[in-house]
Structure formats: C-alpha cells, structure tokens
Amino acid sequence: MRLHQIPVSLLLPPSPSSSFSPRPPLYRCCLAALSSNHRTASHRRLSTDSHAPRPVIGQDSVEVLGGSYPRDDFTNVTSKILAKVGRNLHNQSHHPLWLIKERIKAHFYRSYMGRWGNPLFSVHDNLSPVVSVEQNFDSLLIPPDHASRKKGDNYYLNRNTMLRAHTSAHQRELVRSGLDAFLLAGDVYRRDQIDSSHYPVFHQMEGVRLFSNHELFSKVQNGEELSLFERGGRRTPHKQEAHTLEAVKLVEFDLKQTLTALIAHLFGEDLEVRWVDCYFPFTHPSFEMEVRFHGDWMEVLGCGVMEQELLNSAGAGNKAGWAFGLGLERLAMVLFGIPDIRLFWSEDERFLRQFRVSDIQQPVCFQPLSKYPPLHNDISFWLPEREDGGESFTENDFYELVRSIGGDLVEKVSLVDDFTNPKTRRRSQCYRIIYRHMERTLTQQEVRLVHEQIERSAESELGVEGRY
Ligand code: PHE
C-alpha cells in the first residue's frame, strides 16, 4: 500500500468523555474514567536493543530487527506498525510504561525472596517481539483453527512468523530455560478497533510461578502426604485431569493473593477487585481480574493455573504453576490519569516530563495538555461481493487502512450504519472517523486530504465501492 506522507504528531488532547472524580482514599492519583470495555523464533534474536537497520517492507521480504522474512500470502504487517518495533517504550527511562513496570518489579523484588534473600522472580524485558507462529499459538496449545489466529486480528510477517500478540508467547521458552518464577514485559501487536483505549501496539507484563510438590505443600499440615498430581483424574470446571484438587486450590490461592497484593500496592488497599471465571487454552481454571473504576468493572488482567501439558512440553512436568498477563497501558491510564492510549507514543516534552520523578513511588498525576477540537467525517461504501456469497471484507481491514493513512491523527473510528439491501442483498456500511491533533487545531483542508486518500485507498485496496 502506498502511504500518504502526513506529518503526524502523537499528542492528543483528552477525549471529551474522560472525567475526573475525587480520588478514593488510597489512590495515589487522579483517575481518568475508562469505559468498562477497555482492555489488554526461528530467527531467535533474543535482544531488541540492537541498532538494527530501519524496518522495511520490500517486494519480496520484510526486514525487521536485523532479520529478513520472505513475504507470502499471510504478510499483512504495515510499515507504520513495523516502525514501532524496537521503540521499546517499556524500557525508556521515565516513560509512564517504564514507571509502572519499575513499580511492579520493585513490588515483586521486595515481596518475594528466594532462599538466599535473592529476588525470587527474574525480570525479562528484552525479548524480541518477532516470534514464530508456533511460539505465539502452538506452544500455548491454541488449536490450529482457533479464532485468535485470524489474519484479521494479527500482524503476520509471513505464514511462520509474526509480531507477538501476547507476552505468553514466551512462556514455554522461559520455563524450558529452567526458570521457576519470572516476569516478562514487552510490546505486543494486535489488529483492533480504534478508540481512546485501543492501539495496535500495546504492552503486557507476564508473570509465571512454578511449584514443586515440596514448595507447594511444605507449609501445609501433613503436607508430605499430599501430591500435585493424580492418575486417572477427571477434568472438571475446577481443575485439570492431571492435578489433585488440593494442589489446584493452593496454586489458585497463591495466584490470587499475589495479584491482589500487586494491585493493592499499585492502587491502594481500598480498590474493589473481583474475579471472573473465563477461558484461555493455556490455563485451567482461568480467571480475569476486574477492578471497580468509576462505578464500572474494568478488566485488567487474565490468569490461571497453567495447563500441565504446556509444562510437560517445557521440561517442567514435575511442577505445577500459575501464569498471568496484564495490560500495562490500562493500568497506567488508571494510575496516572492518562486519557488516551496514543499519548504513550508521544515524544512531546510536555507529556514526558510529567513522569520524570526522582523516586519511582512518587505520585504522578498527569495534567492533560490543552485541548484542540475534533473534526469528523463519514465514509460510506458498498462492501465487495464474493462469487460464493461469502464476505471478503473485514472491519479490521478498514481500521488498518485508516491507521496506515491517518496515523495518529485518527482518534476514533466507529461503525455508524450497517445496511443490507433486502432486494439485492448488497451490504453497505458507514464509518465515522474522528480526527484530532493534540498540539494544534487541524484545518478542514488537511483533514479532507487525508479523508479523500482513505476513500480512494478503501476502493483500490479493499474493493469497496464508495457511496459518495
Ligand atoms: N495472554 C493472555 C492475553 O493476552 C493473558 C493471559 C496470560 C492469560 C497468562 C492467562 C495466563 O489475553
């Protein structure tokens, strides 16, 4: 796709929907309202720190972090996305994502010691986001036909290689390397909708802890009689076939206690927290933690008891363990009161200097920059028809196209109308695109240029037929 060259600044004013409430007693900061729908290799390059050449999408290959990946029918990564690879915001000193990562590390270092007073959890924040499809999915027992593998939801370099969609992609390799307790922070990539809480690149922190029979039961009365595993057990909603109920209950208790203590450390004791049962292919039982935020429950992390088959394949078949994955942007937005996820990419001093504290525990309350008006424009088109009657167009394809042309000028894209002509069965959609710049007022004219480019590209790239 040819990219329209538009100078794009990442800074945006707070979205009109954000509001501030008096801080609950133990919160350290003002809190911006977030909606409850918020969220979260064969090349074997382990470090992303190298001064690798700039990523390029060539005719035949994609070059990124010093590796070259032949293009094929799965290649869908764009140059705008590749340009983010290697930015490593989580490793940039005093960036808000770095700050929250450091607070989490400090909490784990202080709270969990090994036998010799050493930190129990090792921390890894430099694993390459370029992973094999096998790492991202198969290693986690995600079936070949699972919906999460869709091209429309991920950034593939080719059929075998992708930008990781979650930090869980590294669970197996780190367990295999002999680690029993680790934290792992990194950038993750997902094709998604566009609004103040979704960005195609975000950051996660993964945590894993394994227990041997002795470690789990030594503190329990008559613990020496208990066992992690049972033969001929059954999988129930509460446990896997391989585990004894008492093992699962202790692992689950430790997991929930660890995460509750972490959230209390970050947000204060008074935060209301609840556990919701859910499903992940690589944990069972699985849970999500939600926190009460401005009256709404907001999901902040996923976790569970690791599937024993995963541990067996990683050479840790004599241990049982838990894993969690949390979204760093979401936590930082709540903790610091950052109203828009694009702000994390800002290089503007007015944003960055607010996080330059001498002590990482010092409270930070983000002062929104001045606010410039939004401009919105609608776009309507007929969707392409396929001969077999199926559909070749997905909403994420359109969001991707808008991102690759409008970049961070685009604050939000929403589907405002979806219509099927009852006679012809032709389907049309209308999207509203909200444009906004944080450092200045956009002119109608510059927005029109971008918008027209989006209209043209939607026709040429996606095969839609404009209704304008
Ligand atoms: N990887 C999951 C996600 O991104 C979160 C998760 C991590 C769930 C570890 C369970 C265990 O949604």
Side-chain angles (χ1 to χ4, degrees):
M1 178 181 302
R2 241 175 334 115
L3 298 177
H4 192 78
Q5 287 304 305
I6 303 153
V8 168
S9 163
L10 296 151
L11 274 177
L12 285 149
S15 67
S17 60
S18 66
S19 64
F20 294 86
S21 76
R23 66 181 81 154
L26 282 159
Y27 273 61
R28 303 258 165 79
C29 183
C30 52
L31 298 166
L34 299 172
S35 66
S36 54
N37 68 350
H38 249 191
R39 312 188 257 145
T40 130
S42 53
H43 25 88
R44 288 269 160 208
R45 288 184 55 85
L46 285 185
S47 165
T48 54
D49 264 353
S50 69
H51 297 281
R54 291 185 53 193
V56 265
I57 305 186
Q59 285 261 295
D60 305 320
S61 65
V62 178
E63 323 278 330
V64 58
L65 293 177
S68 177
Y69 306 88
R71 293 183 67 127
D72 63 22
D73 55 329
F74 257 61
T75 310
N76 67 353
V77 68
T78 64
S79 47
K80 274 233 164 56
I81 293 298
L82 277 188
K84 308 278 195 233
V85 177
R87 274 288 292 280
N88 292 331
L89 297 181
H90 58 293
N91 293 341
Q92 184 183 314
S93 256
H94 294 97
H95 188 277
L97 295 174
W98 171 88
L99 188 56
I100 201 155
K101 179 189 79 174
E102 290 301 311
R103 286 189 187 177
I104 296 172
K105 272 166 67 174
H107 168 74
F108 272 87
Y109 284 162
R110 213 192 33 233
S111 310
Y112 306 97
M113 297 241 218
R115 235 192 291 170
W116 320 109
N118 54 310
L120 187 67
F121 286 82
S122 56
V123 179
H124 308 262
D125 52 20
N126 224 344
L127 293 168
S128 173
V130 178
V131 299
S132 63
V133 170
E134 206 273 334
Q135 281 175 293
N136 197 81
F137 296 119
D138 303 71
S139 79
L140 291 158
L141 316 170
I142 298 173
D145 53 354
H146 197 266
S148 65
R149 296 187 185 237
K150 280 204 304 278
K151 234 175 114 172
D153 288 354
N154 298 287
Y155 290 105
Y156 286 94
L157 302 188
N158 57 34
R159 270 182 181 277
N160 303 319
T161 317
M162 63 190 293
L163 298 176
R164 66 184 162 214
H166 53 178
T167 42
S168 304
H170 301 286
Q171 277 186 15
R172 190 190 55 193
E173 73 194 83
L174 291 183
V175 169
R176 195 180 269 162
S177 74
L179 298 174
D180 280 343
F182 60 84
L183 298 174
L184 155 67
D187 38 334
V188 301
Y189 298 77
R190 292 186 199 170
R191 297 178 78 193
D192 216 331
Q193 68 217 70
I194 303 179
D195 63 28
S196 66
S197 65
H198 292 91
Y199 198 79
V201 190
F202 59 103
H203 296 75
Q204 286 188 325
M205 175 87 110
E206 190 90 2
V208 165
R209 173 140 196 211
L210 308 185
F211 301 90
S212 64
N213 215 82
H214 177 74
E215 281 161 335
L216 195 65
F217 295 120
S218 58
K219 287 182 227 78
V220 179
Q221 222 187 353
N222 296 334
E224 58 295 343
E225 291 164 26
L226 300 174
S227 170
L228 290 177
F229 305 112
E230 64 181 9
R231 259 181 232 282
R234 273 197 314 125
R235 178 170 289 248
T236 73
H238 306 290
K239 70 171 211 73
Q240 299 167 34
E241 46 279 59
H243 294 152
T244 61
L245 192 56
E246 48 277 16
V248 172
K249 288 296 166 197
L250 285 179
V251 172
E252 187 182 318
F253 179 73
D254 189 80
L255 167 65
K256 290 181 173 172
Q257 203 181 35
T258 303
L259 289 169
T260 310
L262 170 65
I263 296 297
H265 167 73
L266 294 174
F267 294 96
E269 296 285 344
D270 283 1
L271 188 69
E272 267 188 273
V273 164
R274 75 175 183 190
W275 293 101
V276 180
D277 290 341
C278 71
Y279 172 80
F280 297 105
F282 37 97
T283 50
H284 182 74
S286 304
F287 314 95
E288 276 166 359
M289 182 200 263
E290 297 184 344
V291 300
R292 174 90 100 168
F293 186 60
H294 286 188
D296 275 339
W297 288 104
M298 181 177 79
E299 183 212 321
V300 290
L301 63 87
C303 64
V305 177
M306 293 173 82
E307 279 290 346
Q308 200 55 38
E309 196 185 325
L310 195 167
L311 290 179
N312 295 348
S313 74
N318 58 338
K319 294 183 178 164
W322 53 243
F324 69 79
L326 53 82
L328 290 178
E329 273 85 351
R330 244 185 222 194
L331 289 182
M333 287 171 89
V334 178
L335 193 58
F336 304 133
I338 298 174
D340 193 299
I341 196 163
R342 283 164 298 172
L343 279 160
F344 291 100
W345 297 90
S346 169
E347 289 177 356
D348 190 306
E349 266 303 296
R350 290 176 298 167
F351 175 74
L352 293 172
R353 73 164 174 243
Q354 299 193 33
F355 302 93
R356 257 180 230 127
V357 285
S358 50
D359 169 1
I360 58 164
Q361 304 301 349
Q362 200 173 309
V364 174
C365 180
F366 175 66
Q367 300 298 319
L369 312 182
S370 49
K371 201 168 158 178
Y372 296 90
L375 283 176
H376 57 73
N377 267 313
D378 291 351
I379 176 168
S380 307
F381 42 70
W382 294 108
L383 304 194
E385 286 167 288
R386 268 193 354 203
E387 263 140 43
D388 58 9
E391 272 172 10
S392 54
F393 171 94
T394 75
E395 283 171 42
N396 274 356
D397 291 334
F398 181 67
Y399 297 142
E400 187 63 53
L401 182 132
V402 175
R403 273 192 198 287
S404 66
I405 296 168
D408 293 316
L409 290 182
V410 178
E411 178 169 292
K412 188 175 162 96
V413 183
S414 35
L415 180 62
V416 289
D417 187 42
D418 194 338
F419 162 80
T420 305
N421 182 315
K423 286 211 187 88
T424 62
R425 305 307 302 162
R426 270 190 105 188
R427 191 168 160 206
S428 82
Q429 288 185 333
C430 175
Y431 291 87
R432 173 155 304 163
I433 305 179
I434 299 181
Y435 298 89
R436 195 199 309 242
H437 198 295
M438 192 165 235
E439 295 161 310
R440 58 187 175 79
T441 302
L442 289 172
T443 64
Q444 282 286 2
Q445 201 191 359
E446 72 184 309
V447 167
R448 192 166 355 102
L449 282 177
V450 177
H451 198 74
E452 283 169 4
Q453 172 76 14
I454 291 172
E455 288 174 340
R456 278 197 300 277
S457 302
E459 294 199 325
S460 62
E461 312 277 337
L462 304 177
V464 305
E465 188 191 319
R467 296 184 65 181
Y468 12 89

